Amino acid sequence: MNRVVLVGRLTKDAELKTFEANERSVLNFTLAVNRDFVNSNNEREADFIPIVYWLEHAESLQKYLLKGIQICVSGKLRVRSYESPDKGKRYITEVLADEIKFLGSKKESSVI
């Protein structure tokens, strides 16, 4: 079973790309997900997870997926590779999202 559920904040506004050949759109963004522990300096660390969203609502979601917004993403983990001319084989790990739920903005959470 390949299922991933993440809660985090967008590191920047989502980017929309549209492919004219098949008229499909894709949203790309990075989600900052806090780790469950603090480091030796008593600071919380985060992992930065690339997210790809191909579904039909990609275009309408872009205006809401803004830097700092907190969301829950569920989907599948994908590892792919490609040949780089200068560095050989490169690997990319990303989440193919199939569901996005909005949890709040950074501004709202600072009030609580």
Side-chain angles (χ1 to χ4, degrees):
M1 175 183 277
N2 182 355
R3 194 76 186 150
V4 176
V5 177
L6 301 168
V7 173
R9 294 190 182 278
L10 272 70
T11 61
K12 63 180 183 176
D13 296 355
E15 295 178 13
L16 179 71
K17 294 179 187 174
T18 303
F19 301 95
E20 292 180 22
N22 57 10
E23 296 181 12
R24 289 187 69 191
S25 297
V26 62
L27 273 174
N28 292 293
F29 56 93
T30 301
L31 197 64
V33 179
N34 284 337
R35 294 183 178 173
D36 291 339
F37 56 88
V38 292
N39 63 20
S40 59
N41 296 328
N42 206 28
E43 299 169 335
R44 186 162 304 275
E45 294 182 2
D47 292 303
F48 298 91
I49 314 293
I51 310 293
V52 178
Y53 186 75
W54 281 98
L55 298 180
E56 63 276 354
H57 304 294
E59 288 181 32
S60 60
L61 276 177
Q62 181 194 19
K63 61 185 170 188
Y64 301 108
L65 292 172
L66 305 174
K67 180 180 178 174
I69 195 89
Q70 186 179 37
I71 61 173
C72 177
V73 173
S74 60
K76 297 176 181 165
L77 192 64
R78 175 174 74 173
V79 179
R80 58 187 174 92
S81 64
Y82 66 94
E83 289 292 330
S84 172
D86 55 341
K87 297 183 180 179
K89 197 167 196 173
R90 310 254 340 217
Y91 292 91
I92 298 173
T93 302
E94 58 197 3
V95 173
L96 294 176
D98 55 34
E99 186 176 9
I100 297 173
K101 293 188 179 190
F102 292 89
L103 303 176
S105 70
K106 196 169 188 176
K107 189 180 215 180
E108 290 169 355
S109 68
S110 64
V111 174
I112 298 173

